[in-house]
């Protein structure tokens, strides 16, 4: 495992769950890879496109040490079966670490993974058969490679009378504080304190003409204060033409493969 001198955060894709471009592989789902100075790698979500988006970066299942899951939609968990079987039936049989809030973790096996991963020759499988499981209590976070990730519950969708548990992250890489929203509705009154405290905001942004109501839409985000928009990069958008985000005061659109580099005292984009 190669040691590097900084943290590197790469968007393996920046598209929405059902992104359809003009050609295959034009964009992938919005899953993120963080590489630590030690060489360990953490996925922020593991969607159905993950084996292809990792391959574009020259990586495979064996290169992933840990995964954080924000919520249970397929573009965030649909690749976990591939990761689980690929590591279970490898020479090392290494179990990736699996991190999620306790509400997400409670349903992850029974609602998302059991149908495929529960069928295992000669063994009664559970989620712990494949992963080193870390369930995070409410109002808590988790430390990974010296970085403390604070879980921030956001409002994504309401299932009947129940809010679907969905969590963004607030964390520092080097001297930069990052707010990663995951999937969220436009809810500035709920998360404005995180907008203000962050140096860099990585924000879910819907761009379709039909507003789903479960993602923050560009037409809503554009109304945020200029001092918030200037540190906000936008991802999780649909295919097709997009507005000029920089002209509208945002930091910009995140394209597939964009990396943010965080040395000890500064940050850069490549």
């Amino acid at each position: 495992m190669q040691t590097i001198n900084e943290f590197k955060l790469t968007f393996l894709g920046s598209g929405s769950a059902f992104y359809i471009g003009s050609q295959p592989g034009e964009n992938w789902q919005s899953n993120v890879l963080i590489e630590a100075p030690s060489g360990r790698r953490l996925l922020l979500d593991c969607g159905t496109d993950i084996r292809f988006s990792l391959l574009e970066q020259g990586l495979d299942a064996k290169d992933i040490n840990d995964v954080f899951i924000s919520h249970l939609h397929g573009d965030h968990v649909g690749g976990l079966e591939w990761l689980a079987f690929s590591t279970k039936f490898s020479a090392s049989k290494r179990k990736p670490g699996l991190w999620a809030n306790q509400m997400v973790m409670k349903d992850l096996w029974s609602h998302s993974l059991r149908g495929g991963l529960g069928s295992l020759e000669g063994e009664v499988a559970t989620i712990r058969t494949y992963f080193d499981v870390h369930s995070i209590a409410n109002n808590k976070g988790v430390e990974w490679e010296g970085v403390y990730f604070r879980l921030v519950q956001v409002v994504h969708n309401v299932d009947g009378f129940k809010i679907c548990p969905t969590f963004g992250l607030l964390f520092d890489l080097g001297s930069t504080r990052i707010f990663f929203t995951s999937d969220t509705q436009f809810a500035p009154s709920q998360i404005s304190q995180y907008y203000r405290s962050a140096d860099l905001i990585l924000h879910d942004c819907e761009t379709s003409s039909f507003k789903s109501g479960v993602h923050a839409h560009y037409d809503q985000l554009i109304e945020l204060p200029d001092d918030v928009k200037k540190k906000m990069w936008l991802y999780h958008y649909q295919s097709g033409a997009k507005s000029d985000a920089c002209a509208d005061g945002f930091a910009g659109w995140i394209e597939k493969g964009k990396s943010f580099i965080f040395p000890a005292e500064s940050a850069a984009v490549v």
Side-chain angles (χ1 to χ4, degrees):
M1 185 176 290
Q2 184 178 3
T3 301
I4 56 177
N5 297 320
E6 65 273 323
F7 284 94
K8 182 179 181 182
L9 185 155
T10 301
F11 273 80
L12 302 174
S14 56
S16 65
F18 311 113
Y19 188 101
I20 300 176
S22 59
Q23 55 187 0
E26 180 179 299
N27 205 348
W28 304 114
Q29 294 162 346
S30 295
N31 300 159
V32 174
L33 177 70
I34 298 179
E35 298 171 89
S38 65
R40 290 184 68 87
R41 297 183 177 95
L42 167 69
L43 280 179
L44 305 186
D45 289 325
C46 185
T48 51
D49 292 347
I50 196 67
R51 58 179 175 153
F52 304 111
S53 58
L54 281 175
L55 182 62
E56 279 198 354
Q57 299 296 321
L59 300 172
D60 200 350
K62 68 180 183 301
D63 300 305
I64 301 304
N65 303 102
D66 302 287
V67 183
F68 167 77
I69 296 299
S70 64
H71 65 293
L72 298 185
H73 286 155
D75 54 320
H76 300 265
V77 301
L80 282 176
E81 181 176 319
W82 165 80
L83 180 65
F85 278 138
S86 295
T87 51
K88 171 72 173 174
F89 297 107
S90 67
S92 68
K93 297 187 180 296
R94 176 186 56 81
K95 294 181 183 180
L98 183 64
W99 310 80
N101 172 269
Q102 61 186 12
M103 293 184 287
V104 176
M105 192 70 78
K106 175 179 177 290
D107 291 337
L108 181 56
W109 177 253
S110 60
H111 291 188
S112 297
L113 300 181
R114 186 178 179 181
L117 294 178
S119 179
L120 193 62
E121 175 66 22
E123 187 173 352
V124 178
T126 72
I127 194 169
R128 296 181 186 276
T129 303
Y130 303 96
F131 297 103
D132 181 14
V133 176
H134 303 267
S135 184
I136 305 168
N138 292 333
N139 295 313
K140 298 294 183 181
V142 63
E143 185 173 337
W144 179 84
E145 295 299 289
V147 178
Y148 188 73
F149 292 81
R150 169 69 69 181
L151 273 65
V152 178
Q153 187 166 13
V154 295
V155 178
H156 181 23
N157 65 291
V158 179
D159 181 6
F161 296 96
K162 175 177 169 290
I163 296 175
C164 173
T166 306
F167 292 84
L169 293 168
L170 186 72
F171 56 100
D172 296 345
L173 293 183
S175 60
T176 303
R177 176 155 293 180
I178 302 162
F179 179 37
F180 171 74
T181 65
S182 180
D183 288 4
T184 180
Q185 296 180 23
F186 184 66
S189 61
Q190 179 203 26
I191 57 179
S192 60
Q193 61 179 308
Y194 308 112
Y195 289 162
R196 298 294 181 186
S197 67
D199 304 304
L200 174 66
I201 303 168
L202 307 173
H203 209 296
D204 170 28
C205 179
E206 188 174 77
T207 55
S208 62
S209 56
F210 171 78
K211 295 180 175 64
S212 69
V214 300
H215 296 278
H217 196 277
Y218 188 86
D219 292 347
Q220 298 170 312
L221 293 171
I222 201 173
E223 300 300 326
L224 289 171
D226 290 342
D227 63 332
V228 172
K229 289 192 296 182
K230 70 181 182 181
K231 54 186 178 181
M232 184 178 288
W233 288 86
L234 306 174
Y235 72 94
H236 204 283
Y237 47 84
Q238 284 72 32
S239 55
K242 300 188 293 295
S243 300
D244 188 335
C246 293
D248 288 333
F250 295 100
W253 295 105
I254 294 178
E255 304 294 339
K256 178 183 70 172
K258 179 180 283 295
S259 292
F260 296 79
I261 305 297
F262 302 94
E265 297 299 333
S266 60
V269 181
V270 297

